[in-house]
Amino acid sequence: QSVLTQPPSVSEAPRQRVTISCSGSSSNIGNNAVNWYQQLPGKAPKLLIYYDDLLPSGVSDRFSGSKSGTSASLAISGLQSEDEADYYCAAWDDSLNGYVFGTGTKVTVL
Amino acid sequence: EVQLVESGGGLIQPGGSLRLSCAASGFTVSSNYMSWVRQAPGKGLEWVSVIYSGGSTYYADSVKGRFTISRDNSKNTLYLQMNSLRAEDTAVYYCTATITGVDYWGQGTLVTVSS
């Protein structure tokens, strides 16, 4: 089982804003950088956010990341139908000596 | 342009072995850290292993002692040797490269462990 907890699903209307939470502990989020990934149906995951709040080149600025203590969040503003996907948080875990992914959140655009 | 192309997946019987390859281009494998991540059908992402530029390796508990990550610098290629395969190892295996903090992913290769 994953050590990073996310809500199974979130949904919102087009052009609205959604936030996905990722809850961890001091051995992972509390002490290491958080990445966020988007996985479109049938596709490989794609990096959305790295080092907690940085956007890779080419990623829309409608996506933003933040972190506080042992929790992190991904926000998607101006929701579009193309944003329907699974989203995962991830971080290195010092206790496990391994990289851990969140449980994943399915975003649905109503 | 960074590109990662996995190969070597297929159908294998329980207890068997398989070696996955990840051919890299656009960067140097040995200068960055490379990982394998898998995804069982209908499930979430699971980290498998990492090899750092200095050669240090780490494994998920679920594969420790059975899988070995390695690289061939002359071929700029990453490998995952998988032994003693189990049904629960069935998944799409992705190769990833982390270059100055940014992850790049391959398209994945499917491994099916079944009799």
Side-chain angles (χ1 to χ4, degrees), chain A residues 33-86:
Chain A
V34 176
N35 287 356
W36 286 92
Y37 302 91
Q38 176 194 60
Q39 187 175 31
L40 296 170
K43 300 293 186 181
K46 167 190 168 184
L47 182 69
L48 278 184
I49 299 288
Y50 68 107
Y51 289 164
D52 300 339
D53 57 9
L54 299 184
L55 263 66
S57 175
V59 172
S60 171
D61 59 5
R62 296 187 297 105
F63 296 94
S64 62
S66 63
K67 186 173 83 173
S68 178
T70 59
S71 294
S73 294
L74 173 72
I76 311 173
S77 60
L79 204 58
Q80 300 177 3
S81 58
E82 67 205 50
D83 298 330
E84 284 204 336
D86 293 323

mmCIF file of all heavy atoms in Angstrom, chain A residues 33-86:
data_model
loop_
_atom_site.group_PDB
_atom_site.id
_atom_site.type_symbol
_atom_site.label_atom_id
_atom_site.label_comp_id
_atom_site.label_asym_id
_atom_site.label_seq_id
_atom_site.Cartn_x
_atom_site.Cartn_y
_atom_site.Cartn_z
ATOM 1 N N ALA A 33 11.591 16.596 -1.933
ATOM 2 C CA ALA A 33 10.810 17.291 -2.953
ATOM 3 C C ALA A 33 9.656 16.424 -3.446
ATOM 4 O O ALA A 33 9.756 15.193 -3.491
ATOM 5 C CB ALA A 33 11.702 17.675 -4.126
ATOM 6 N N VAL A 34 8.587 17.086 -3.820
ATOM 7 C CA VAL A 34 7.398 16.408 -4.334
ATOM 8 C C VAL A 34 7.265 16.643 -5.835
ATOM 9 O O VAL A 34 7.450 17.763 -6.317
ATOM 10 C CB VAL A 34 6.122 16.907 -3.624
ATOM 11 C CG1 VAL A 34 4.878 16.251 -4.233
ATOM 12 C CG2 VAL A 34 6.196 16.613 -2.135
ATOM 13 N N ASN A 35 6.971 15.584 -6.547
ATOM 14 C CA ASN A 35 6.649 15.669 -7.973
ATOM 15 C C ASN A 35 5.187 15.306 -8.178
ATOM 16 O O ASN A 35 4.607 14.551 -7.395
ATOM 17 C CB ASN A 35 7.503 14.700 -8.787
ATOM 18 C CG ASN A 35 8.940 15.133 -8.914
ATOM 19 O OD1 ASN A 35 9.321 16.218 -8.460
ATOM 20 N ND2 ASN A 35 9.752 14.276 -9.510
ATOM 21 N N TRP A 36 4.623 15.845 -9.237
ATOM 22 C CA TRP A 36 3.257 15.496 -9.628
ATOM 23 C C TRP A 36 3.264 15.027 -11.084
ATOM 24 O O TRP A 36 3.954 15.604 -11.925
ATOM 25 C CB TRP A 36 2.324 16.695 -9.503
ATOM 26 C CG TRP A 36 1.976 17.053 -8.088
ATOM 27 C CD1 TRP A 36 2.637 17.946 -7.282
ATOM 28 C CD2 TRP A 36 0.886 16.547 -7.320
ATOM 29 N NE1 TRP A 36 2.018 18.015 -6.058
ATOM 30 C CE2 TRP A 36 0.941 17.173 -6.059
ATOM 31 C CE3 TRP A 36 -0.149 15.639 -7.567
ATOM 32 C CZ2 TRP A 36 0.000 16.904 -5.053
ATOM 33 C CZ3 TRP A 36 -1.078 15.377 -6.574
ATOM 34 C CH2 TRP A 36 -0.989 16.004 -5.334
ATOM 35 N N TYR A 37 2.468 13.985 -11.359
ATOM 36 C CA TYR A 37 2.392 13.398 -12.689
ATOM 37 C C TYR A 37 0.943 13.340 -13.161
ATOM 38 O O TYR A 37 0.031 13.124 -12.368
ATOM 39 C CB TYR A 37 2.966 11.984 -12.688
ATOM 40 C CG TYR A 37 4.397 11.908 -12.233
ATOM 41 C CD1 TYR A 37 4.710 11.707 -10.894
ATOM 42 C CD2 TYR A 37 5.446 12.064 -13.135
ATOM 43 C CE1 TYR A 37 6.016 11.651 -10.460
ATOM 44 C CE2 TYR A 37 6.765 12.010 -12.718
ATOM 45 C CZ TYR A 37 7.036 11.799 -11.383
ATOM 46 O OH TYR A 37 8.347 11.761 -10.955
ATOM 47 N N GLN A 38 0.786 13.515 -14.463
ATOM 48 C CA GLN A 38 -0.516 13.359 -15.116
ATOM 49 C C GLN A 38 -0.451 12.133 -16.014
ATOM 50 O O GLN A 38 0.521 11.975 -16.765
ATOM 51 C CB GLN A 38 -0.831 14.593 -15.965
ATOM 52 C CG GLN A 38 -2.121 14.487 -16.769
ATOM 53 C CD GLN A 38 -2.204 15.586 -17.841
ATOM 54 O OE1 GLN A 38 -1.366 15.670 -18.719
ATOM 55 N NE2 GLN A 38 -3.226 16.426 -17.730
ATOM 56 N N GLN A 39 -1.447 11.272 -15.914
ATOM 57 C CA GLN A 39 -1.505 10.121 -16.809
ATOM 58 C C GLN A 39 -2.827 10.120 -17.553
ATOM 59 O O GLN A 39 -3.880 9.839 -16.970
ATOM 60 C CB GLN A 39 -1.317 8.801 -16.062
ATOM 61 C CG GLN A 39 -1.201 7.605 -16.991
ATOM 62 C CD GLN A 39 -0.887 6.315 -16.269
ATOM 63 O OE1 GLN A 39 -1.271 6.094 -15.127
ATOM 64 N NE2 GLN A 39 -0.165 5.412 -16.943
ATOM 65 N N LEU A 40 -2.763 10.437 -18.819
ATOM 66 C CA LEU A 40 -3.955 10.377 -19.673
ATOM 67 C C LEU A 40 -4.272 8.916 -19.966
ATOM 68 O O LEU A 40 -3.383 8.062 -19.936
ATOM 69 C CB LEU A 40 -3.695 11.141 -20.964
ATOM 70 C CG LEU A 40 -3.460 12.649 -20.793
ATOM 71 C CD1 LEU A 40 -2.975 13.253 -22.102
ATOM 72 C CD2 LEU A 40 -4.705 13.342 -20.311
ATOM 73 N N PRO A 41 -5.544 8.608 -20.256
ATOM 74 C CA PRO A 41 -5.935 7.204 -20.501
ATOM 75 C C PRO A 41 -5.082 6.543 -21.568
ATOM 76 O O PRO A 41 -4.921 7.068 -22.682
ATOM 77 C CB PRO A 41 -7.388 7.347 -20.965
ATOM 78 C CG PRO A 41 -7.872 8.588 -20.305
ATOM 79 C CD PRO A 41 -6.687 9.519 -20.309
ATOM 80 N N GLY A 42 -4.491 5.408 -21.219
ATOM 81 C CA GLY A 42 -3.697 4.626 -22.163
ATOM 82 C C GLY A 42 -2.327 5.183 -22.482
ATOM 83 O O GLY A 42 -1.644 4.677 -23.388
ATOM 84 N N LYS A 43 -1.902 6.214 -21.751
ATOM 85 C CA LYS A 43 -0.623 6.855 -22.030
ATOM 86 C C LYS A 43 0.352 6.696 -20.871
ATOM 87 O O LYS A 43 -0.041 6.347 -19.747
ATOM 88 C CB LYS A 43 -0.837 8.349 -22.299
ATOM 89 C CG LYS A 43 -1.735 8.641 -23.480
ATOM 90 C CD LYS A 43 -1.107 8.215 -24.787
ATOM 91 C CE LYS A 43 -1.945 8.651 -25.973
ATOM 92 N NZ LYS A 43 -1.347 8.213 -27.270
ATOM 93 N N ALA A 44 1.615 6.990 -21.143
ATOM 94 C CA ALA A 44 2.619 7.011 -20.082
ATOM 95 C C ALA A 44 2.435 8.259 -19.225
ATOM 96 O O ALA A 44 1.944 9.286 -19.707
ATOM 97 C CB ALA A 44 4.014 7.003 -20.685
ATOM 98 N N PRO A 45 2.803 8.184 -17.958
ATOM 99 C CA PRO A 45 2.735 9.379 -17.109
ATOM 100 C C PRO A 45 3.625 10.491 -17.652
ATOM 101 O O PRO A 45 4.618 10.236 -18.341
ATOM 102 C CB PRO A 45 3.249 8.873 -15.759
ATOM 103 C CG PRO A 45 2.999 7.403 -15.782
ATOM 104 C CD PRO A 45 3.238 6.992 -17.203
ATOM 105 N N LYS A 46 3.253 11.717 -17.290
ATOM 106 C CA LYS A 46 3.991 12.900 -17.727
ATOM 107 C C LYS A 46 4.214 13.777 -16.506
ATOM 108 O O LYS A 46 3.308 13.993 -15.702
ATOM 109 C CB LYS A 46 3.184 13.656 -18.782
ATOM 110 C CG LYS A 46 3.664 15.053 -19.112
ATOM 111 C CD LYS A 46 2.638 15.774 -19.970
ATOM 112 C CE LYS A 46 2.922 17.247 -20.080
ATOM 113 N NZ LYS A 46 1.873 17.970 -20.841
ATOM 114 N N LEU A 47 5.415 14.316 -16.362
ATOM 115 C CA LEU A 47 5.722 15.185 -15.232
ATOM 116 C C LEU A 47 5.005 16.522 -15.378
ATOM 117 O O LEU A 47 5.122 17.183 -16.399
ATOM 118 C CB LEU A 47 7.233 15.411 -15.150
ATOM 119 C CG LEU A 47 7.724 16.273 -13.992
ATOM 120 C CD1 LEU A 47 7.536 15.547 -12.659
ATOM 121 C CD2 LEU A 47 9.189 16.649 -14.187
ATOM 122 N N LEU A 48 4.301 16.927 -14.313
ATOM 123 C CA LEU A 48 3.589 18.202 -14.299
ATOM 124 C C LEU A 48 4.288 19.237 -13.415
ATOM 125 O O LEU A 48 4.343 20.412 -13.763
ATOM 126 C CB LEU A 48 2.172 18.021 -13.744
ATOM 127 C CG LEU A 48 1.062 17.517 -14.632
ATOM 128 C CD1 LEU A 48 -0.249 17.545 -13.833
ATOM 129 C CD2 LEU A 48 0.935 18.366 -15.883
ATOM 130 N N ILE A 49 4.743 18.781 -12.259
ATOM 131 C CA ILE A 49 5.363 19.651 -11.261
ATOM 132 C C ILE A 49 6.563 18.910 -10.685
ATOM 133 O O ILE A 49 6.484 17.715 -10.417
ATOM 134 C CB ILE A 49 4.396 19.981 -10.117
ATOM 135 C CG1 ILE A 49 3.148 20.732 -10.616
ATOM 136 C CG2 ILE A 49 5.102 20.770 -9.009
ATOM 137 C CD1 ILE A 49 3.403 22.164 -11.036
ATOM 138 N N TYR A 50 7.692 19.626 -10.510
ATOM 139 C CA TYR A 50 8.838 19.031 -9.836
ATOM 140 C C TYR A 50 9.387 19.992 -8.801
ATOM 141 O O TYR A 50 9.084 21.191 -8.836
ATOM 142 C CB TYR A 50 9.902 18.598 -10.848
ATOM 143 C CG TYR A 50 10.614 19.717 -11.578
ATOM 144 C CD1 TYR A 50 11.937 20.034 -11.278
ATOM 145 C CD2 TYR A 50 9.988 20.446 -12.588
ATOM 146 C CE1 TYR A 50 12.603 21.036 -11.942
ATOM 147 C CE2 TYR A 50 10.650 21.452 -13.257
ATOM 148 C CZ TYR A 50 11.965 21.736 -12.945
ATOM 149 O OH TYR A 50 12.623 22.744 -13.606
ATOM 150 N N TYR A 51 10.158 19.447 -7.873
ATOM 151 C CA TYR A 51 10.697 20.261 -6.760
ATOM 152 C C TYR A 51 9.580 21.086 -6.090
ATOM 153 O O TYR A 51 9.739 22.289 -5.858
ATOM 154 C CB TYR A 51 11.806 21.176 -7.246
ATOM 155 C CG TYR A 51 13.107 20.484 -7.604
ATOM 156 C CD1 TYR A 51 14.059 21.151 -8.361
ATOM 157 C CD2 TYR A 51 13.375 19.183 -7.215
ATOM 158 C CE1 TYR A 51 15.251 20.537 -8.714
ATOM 159 C CE2 TYR A 51 14.558 18.557 -7.561
ATOM 160 C CZ TYR A 51 15.504 19.242 -8.318
ATOM 161 O OH TYR A 51 16.682 18.619 -8.678
ATOM 162 N N ASP A 52 8.482 20.421 -5.812
ATOM 163 C CA ASP A 52 7.326 20.979 -5.091
ATOM 164 C C ASP A 52 6.437 21.904 -5.931
ATOM 165 O O ASP A 52 5.202 21.816 -5.857
ATOM 166 C CB ASP A 52 7.745 21.768 -3.847
ATOM 167 C CG ASP A 52 8.510 20.946 -2.838
ATOM 168 O OD1 ASP A 52 8.389 19.701 -2.869
ATOM 169 O OD2 ASP A 52 9.226 21.537 -2.012
ATOM 170 N N ASP A 53 7.064 22.856 -6.667
ATOM 171 C CA ASP A 53 6.244 23.887 -7.297
ATOM 172 C C ASP A 53 6.785 24.399 -8.636
ATOM 173 O O ASP A 53 6.340 25.443 -9.116
ATOM 174 C CB ASP A 53 6.083 25.080 -6.342
ATOM 175 C CG ASP A 53 7.408 25.679 -5.896
ATOM 176 O OD1 ASP A 53 8.449 25.289 -6.461
ATOM 177 O OD2 ASP A 53 7.407 26.511 -4.970
ATOM 178 N N LEU A 54 7.713 23.666 -9.244
ATOM 179 C CA LEU A 54 8.277 24.114 -10.515
ATOM 180 C C LEU A 54 7.595 23.429 -11.692
ATOM 181 O O LEU A 54 7.283 22.239 -11.633
ATOM 182 C CB LEU A 54 9.774 23.823 -10.557
ATOM 183 C CG LEU A 54 10.625 24.507 -9.487
ATOM 184 C CD1 LEU A 54 12.103 24.212 -9.714
ATOM 185 C CD2 LEU A 54 10.387 26.016 -9.485
ATOM 186 N N LEU A 55 7.390 24.206 -12.766
ATOM 187 C CA LEU A 55 6.764 23.667 -13.966
ATOM 188 C C LEU A 55 7.821 23.318 -14.997
ATOM 189 O O LEU A 55 8.652 24.173 -15.346
ATOM 190 C CB LEU A 55 5.804 24.682 -14.589
ATOM 191 C CG LEU A 55 4.316 24.577 -14.264
ATOM 192 C CD1 LEU A 55 4.068 24.865 -12.809
ATOM 193 C CD2 LEU A 55 3.523 25.524 -15.154
ATOM 194 N N PRO A 56 7.803 22.102 -15.509
ATOM 195 C CA PRO A 56 8.721 21.781 -16.608
ATOM 196 C C PRO A 56 8.350 22.605 -17.843
ATOM 197 O O PRO A 56 7.202 23.057 -17.987
ATOM 198 C CB PRO A 56 8.478 20.292 -16.865
ATOM 199 C CG PRO A 56 7.787 19.780 -15.645
ATOM 200 C CD PRO A 56 7.001 20.930 -15.118
ATOM 201 N N SER A 57 9.305 22.775 -18.724
ATOM 202 C CA SER A 57 9.043 23.479 -19.962
ATOM 203 C C SER A 57 7.912 22.795 -20.724
ATOM 204 O O SER A 57 7.867 21.578 -20.849
ATOM 205 C CB SER A 57 10.318 23.485 -20.814
ATOM 206 O OG SER A 57 10.081 24.047 -22.071
ATOM 207 N N GLY A 58 6.979 23.600 -21.218
ATOM 208 C CA GLY A 58 5.890 23.075 -22.019
ATOM 209 C C GLY A 58 4.629 22.740 -21.244
ATOM 210 O O GLY A 58 3.581 22.461 -21.854
ATOM 211 N N VAL A 59 4.692 22.746 -19.925
ATOM 212 C CA VAL A 59 3.504 22.457 -19.113
ATOM 213 C C VAL A 59 2.716 23.751 -18.884
ATOM 214 O O VAL A 59 3.302 24.780 -18.531
ATOM 215 C CB VAL A 59 3.898 21.819 -17.769
ATOM 216 C CG1 VAL A 59 2.680 21.700 -16.840
ATOM 217 C CG2 VAL A 59 4.500 20.428 -17.996
ATOM 218 N N SER A 60 1.425 23.664 -19.059
ATOM 219 C CA SER A 60 0.565 24.835 -18.918
ATOM 220 C C SER A 60 0.642 25.432 -17.516
ATOM 221 O O SER A 60 0.698 24.694 -16.515
ATOM 222 C CB SER A 60 -0.884 24.447 -19.210
ATOM 223 O OG SER A 60 -1.765 25.493 -18.877
ATOM 224 N N ASP A 61 0.632 26.766 -17.444
ATOM 225 C CA ASP A 61 0.671 27.420 -16.134
ATOM 226 C C ASP A 61 -0.684 27.379 -15.431
ATOM 227 O O ASP A 61 -0.869 28.012 -14.385
ATOM 228 C CB ASP A 61 1.182 28.852 -16.252
ATOM 229 C CG ASP A 61 0.327 29.707 -17.161
ATOM 230 O OD1 ASP A 61 -0.727 29.225 -17.628
ATOM 231 O OD2 ASP A 61 0.711 30.862 -17.419
ATOM 232 N N ARG A 62 -1.641 26.644 -15.976
ATOM 233 C CA ARG A 62 -2.895 26.388 -15.254
ATOM 234 C C ARG A 62 -2.650 25.387 -14.112
ATOM 235 O O ARG A 62 -3.479 25.243 -13.222
ATOM 236 C CB ARG A 62 -3.958 25.827 -16.194
ATOM 237 C CG ARG A 62 -4.384 26.788 -17.301
ATOM 238 C CD ARG A 62 -5.565 26.258 -18.101
ATOM 239 N NE ARG A 62 -5.267 25.007 -18.808
ATOM 240 C CZ ARG A 62 -5.707 23.823 -18.420
ATOM 241 N NH1 ARG A 62 -6.460 23.703 -17.346
ATOM 242 N NH2 ARG A 62 -5.395 22.739 -19.123
ATOM 243 N N PHE A 63 -1.492 24.698 -14.187
ATOM 244 C CA PHE A 63 -1.126 23.757 -13.139
ATOM 245 C C PHE A 63 -0.167 24.433 -12.160
ATOM 246 O O PHE A 63 0.745 25.140 -12.570
ATOM 247 C CB PHE A 63 -0.449 22.514 -13.733
ATOM 248 C CG PHE A 63 -1.337 21.707 -14.625
ATOM 249 C CD1 PHE A 63 -1.339 21.913 -16.002
ATOM 250 C CD2 PHE A 63 -2.188 20.740 -14.101
ATOM 251 C CE1 PHE A 63 -2.168 21.177 -16.832
ATOM 252 C CE2 PHE A 63 -3.019 19.996 -14.922
ATOM 253 C CZ PHE A 63 -3.006 20.216 -16.301
ATOM 254 N N SER A 64 -0.394 24.196 -10.872
ATOM 255 C CA SER A 64 0.514 24.745 -9.868
ATOM 256 C C SER A 64 0.610 23.780 -8.693
ATOM 257 O O SER A 64 -0.334 23.042 -8.390
ATOM 258 C CB SER A 64 0.050 26.117 -9.392
ATOM 259 O OG SER A 64 -1.224 26.018 -8.783
ATOM 260 N N GLY A 65 1.773 23.799 -8.031
ATOM 261 C CA GLY A 65 1.997 22.915 -6.896
ATOM 262 C C GLY A 65 2.412 23.690 -5.669
ATOM 263 O O GLY A 65 2.989 24.779 -5.778
ATOM 264 N N SER A 66 2.106 23.119 -4.512
ATOM 265 C CA SER A 66 2.513 23.742 -3.254
ATOM 266 C C SER A 66 2.743 22.647 -2.228
ATOM 267 O O SER A 66 2.316 21.499 -2.405
ATOM 268 C CB SER A 66 1.457 24.726 -2.754
ATOM 269 O OG SER A 66 0.237 24.045 -2.473
ATOM 270 N N LYS A 67 3.441 23.035 -1.154
ATOM 271 C CA LYS A 67 3.722 22.072 -0.091
ATOM 272 C C LYS A 67 3.757 22.792 1.242
ATOM 273 O O LYS A 67 4.257 23.922 1.343
ATOM 274 C CB LYS A 67 5.062 21.369 -0.344
ATOM 275 C CG LYS A 67 5.368 20.255 0.643
ATOM 276 C CD LYS A 67 6.617 19.494 0.249
ATOM 277 C CE LYS A 67 7.883 20.176 0.708
ATOM 278 N NZ LYS A 67 9.088 19.332 0.462
ATOM 279 N N SER A 68 3.239 22.116 2.257
ATOM 280 C CA SER A 68 3.292 22.645 3.610
ATOM 281 C C SER A 68 3.443 21.477 4.579
ATOM 282 O O SER A 68 2.557 20.607 4.643
ATOM 283 C CB SER A 68 2.013 23.433 3.941
ATOM 284 O OG SER A 68 2.052 23.903 5.272
ATOM 285 N N GLY A 69 4.556 21.432 5.284
ATOM 286 C CA GLY A 69 4.790 20.346 6.215
ATOM 287 C C GLY A 69 4.850 18.998 5.530
ATOM 288 O O GLY A 69 5.685 18.781 4.653
ATOM 289 N N THR A 70 3.938 18.119 5.908
ATOM 290 C CA THR A 70 3.934 16.764 5.346
ATOM 291 C C THR A 70 2.814 16.564 4.323
ATOM 292 O O THR A 70 2.442 15.424 4.022
ATOM 293 C CB THR A 70 3.802 15.715 6.468
ATOM 294 O OG1 THR A 70 2.587 15.957 7.187
ATOM 295 C CG2 THR A 70 4.991 15.787 7.422
ATOM 296 N N SER A 71 2.296 17.659 3.794
ATOM 297 C CA SER A 71 1.265 17.578 2.759
ATOM 298 C C SER A 71 1.622 18.441 1.560
ATOM 299 O O SER A 71 2.302 19.458 1.706
ATOM 300 C CB SER A 71 -0.092 18.025 3.309
ATOM 301 O OG SER A 71 -0.560 17.125 4.291
ATOM 302 N N ALA A 72 1.132 18.020 0.407
ATOM 303 C CA ALA A 72 1.343 18.774 -0.822
ATOM 304 C C ALA A 72 0.021 18.869 -1.566
ATOM 305 O O ALA A 72 -0.912 18.084 -1.307
ATOM 306 C CB ALA A 72 2.386 18.093 -1.699
ATOM 307 N N SER A 73 -0.059 19.817 -2.490
ATOM 308 C CA SER A 73 -1.288 19.996 -3.267
ATOM 309 C C SER A 73 -0.967 20.337 -4.704
ATOM 310 O O SER A 73 0.026 21.012 -4.983
ATOM 311 C CB SER A 73 -2.145 21.122 -2.673
ATOM 312 O OG SER A 73 -2.622 20.782 -1.404
ATOM 313 N N LEU A 74 -1.838 19.872 -5.573
ATOM 314 C CA LEU A 74 -1.792 20.237 -6.987
ATOM 315 C C LEU A 74 -3.087 20.968 -7.300
ATOM 316 O O LEU A 74 -4.170 20.472 -6.969
ATOM 317 C CB LEU A 74 -1.687 18.990 -7.869
ATOM 318 C CG LEU A 74 -1.806 19.230 -9.376
ATOM 319 C CD1 LEU A 74 -0.549 19.914 -9.906
ATOM 320 C CD2 LEU A 74 -2.040 17.912 -10.121
ATOM 321 N N ALA A 75 -2.979 22.125 -7.913
ATOM 322 C CA ALA A 75 -4.160 22.878 -8.306
ATOM 323 C C ALA A 75 -4.217 22.974 -9.823
ATOM 324 O O ALA A 75 -3.185 23.152 -10.481
ATOM 325 C CB ALA A 75 -4.141 24.280 -7.703
ATOM 326 N N ILE A 76 -5.419 22.806 -10.351
ATOM 327 C CA ILE A 76 -5.653 22.973 -11.781
ATOM 328 C C ILE A 76 -6.711 24.060 -11.928
ATOM 329 O O ILE A 76 -7.836 23.917 -11.450
ATOM 330 C CB ILE A 76 -6.170 21.678 -12.446
ATOM 331 C CG1 ILE A 76 -5.314 20.473 -12.064
ATOM 332 C CG2 ILE A 76 -6.183 21.846 -13.966
ATOM 333 C CD1 ILE A 76 -5.881 19.137 -12.556
ATOM 334 N N SER A 77 -6.331 25.164 -12.559
ATOM 335 C CA SER A 77 -7.280 26.252 -12.756
ATOM 336 C C SER A 77 -7.781 26.244 -14.197
ATOM 337 O O SER A 77 -7.149 25.655 -15.083
ATOM 338 C CB SER A 77 -6.620 27.594 -12.432
ATOM 339 O OG SER A 77 -5.517 27.801 -13.274
ATOM 340 N N GLY A 78 -8.928 26.884 -14.429
ATOM 341 C CA GLY A 78 -9.478 26.924 -15.785
ATOM 342 C C GLY A 78 -9.641 25.527 -16.360
ATOM 343 O O GLY A 78 -9.214 25.259 -17.482
ATOM 344 N N LEU A 79 -10.276 24.651 -15.596
ATOM 345 C CA LEU A 79 -10.399 23.231 -15.951
ATOM 346 C C LEU A 79 -10.905 23.043 -17.381
ATOM 347 O O LEU A 79 -11.860 23.699 -17.820
ATOM 348 C CB LEU A 79 -11.331 22.560 -14.953
ATOM 349 C CG LEU A 79 -11.193 21.053 -14.737
ATOM 350 C CD1 LEU A 79 -9.792 20.691 -14.286
ATOM 351 C CD2 LEU A 79 -12.217 20.597 -13.706
ATOM 352 N N GLN A 80 -10.257 22.119 -18.102
ATOM 353 C CA GLN A 80 -10.639 21.807 -19.472
ATOM 354 C C GLN A 80 -10.876 20.303 -19.603
ATOM 355 O O GLN A 80 -10.340 19.510 -18.828
ATOM 356 C CB GLN A 80 -9.539 22.241 -20.442
ATOM 357 C CG GLN A 80 -9.236 23.722 -20.397
ATOM 358 C CD GLN A 80 -8.079 24.116 -21.319
ATOM 359 O OE1 GLN A 80 -7.529 23.295 -22.041
ATOM 360 N NE2 GLN A 80 -7.723 25.406 -21.289
ATOM 361 N N SER A 81 -11.638 19.922 -20.619
ATOM 362 C CA SER A 81 -11.950 18.500 -20.812
ATOM 363 C C SER A 81 -10.677 17.675 -20.986
ATOM 364 O O SER A 81 -10.613 16.514 -20.580
ATOM 365 C CB SER A 81 -12.871 18.316 -22.019
ATOM 366 O OG SER A 81 -12.272 18.848 -23.185
ATOM 367 N N GLU A 82 -9.648 18.279 -21.564
ATOM 368 C CA GLU A 82 -8.388 17.557 -21.787
ATOM 369 C C GLU A 82 -7.643 17.283 -20.491
ATOM 370 O O GLU A 82 -6.630 16.568 -20.501
ATOM 371 C CB GLU A 82 -7.490 18.359 -22.723
ATOM 372 C CG GLU A 82 -6.983 19.655 -22.146
ATOM 373 C CD GLU A 82 -6.632 20.683 -23.214
ATOM 374 O OE1 GLU A 82 -7.469 20.924 -24.105
ATOM 375 O OE2 GLU A 82 -5.519 21.238 -23.144
ATOM 376 N N ASP A 83 -8.092 17.853 -19.391
ATOM 377 C CA ASP A 83 -7.460 17.622 -18.094
ATOM 378 C C ASP A 83 -7.970 16.345 -17.434
ATOM 379 O O ASP A 83 -7.464 15.949 -16.376
ATOM 380 C CB ASP A 83 -7.696 18.804 -17.144
ATOM 381 C CG ASP A 83 -7.103 20.099 -17.659
ATOM 382 O OD1 ASP A 83 -6.074 20.043 -18.383
ATOM 383 O OD2 ASP A 83 -7.668 21.171 -17.359
ATOM 384 N N GLU A 84 -8.958 15.708 -18.035
ATOM 385 C CA GLU A 84 -9.469 14.454 -17.475
ATOM 386 C C GLU A 84 -8.369 13.392 -17.557
ATOM 387 O O GLU A 84 -7.909 13.016 -18.636
ATOM 388 C CB GLU A 84 -10.707 13.973 -18.235
ATOM 389 C CG GLU A 84 -11.967 14.737 -17.901
ATOM 390 C CD GLU A 84 -13.218 13.928 -18.183
ATOM 391 O OE1 GLU A 84 -13.172 12.996 -19.017
ATOM 392 O OE2 GLU A 84 -14.262 14.225 -17.568
ATOM 393 N N ALA A 85 -7.927 12.951 -16.386
ATOM 394 C CA ALA A 85 -6.782 12.051 -16.309
ATOM 395 C C ALA A 85 -6.623 11.596 -14.867
ATOM 396 O O ALA A 85 -7.345 12.036 -13.972
ATOM 397 C CB ALA A 85 -5.522 12.764 -16.773
ATOM 398 N N ASP A 86 -5.645 10.712 -14.673
ATOM 399 C CA ASP A 86 -5.234 10.320 -13.322
ATOM 400 C C ASP A 86 -4.011 11.139 -12.945
ATOM 401 O O ASP A 86 -3.116 11.353 -13.768
ATOM 402 C CB ASP A 86 -4.893 8.832 -13.270
ATOM 403 C CG ASP A 86 -6.112 7.950 -13.478
ATOM 404 O OD1 ASP A 86 -7.202 8.312 -12.985
ATOM 405 O OD2 ASP A 86 -5.972 6.898 -14.132
#
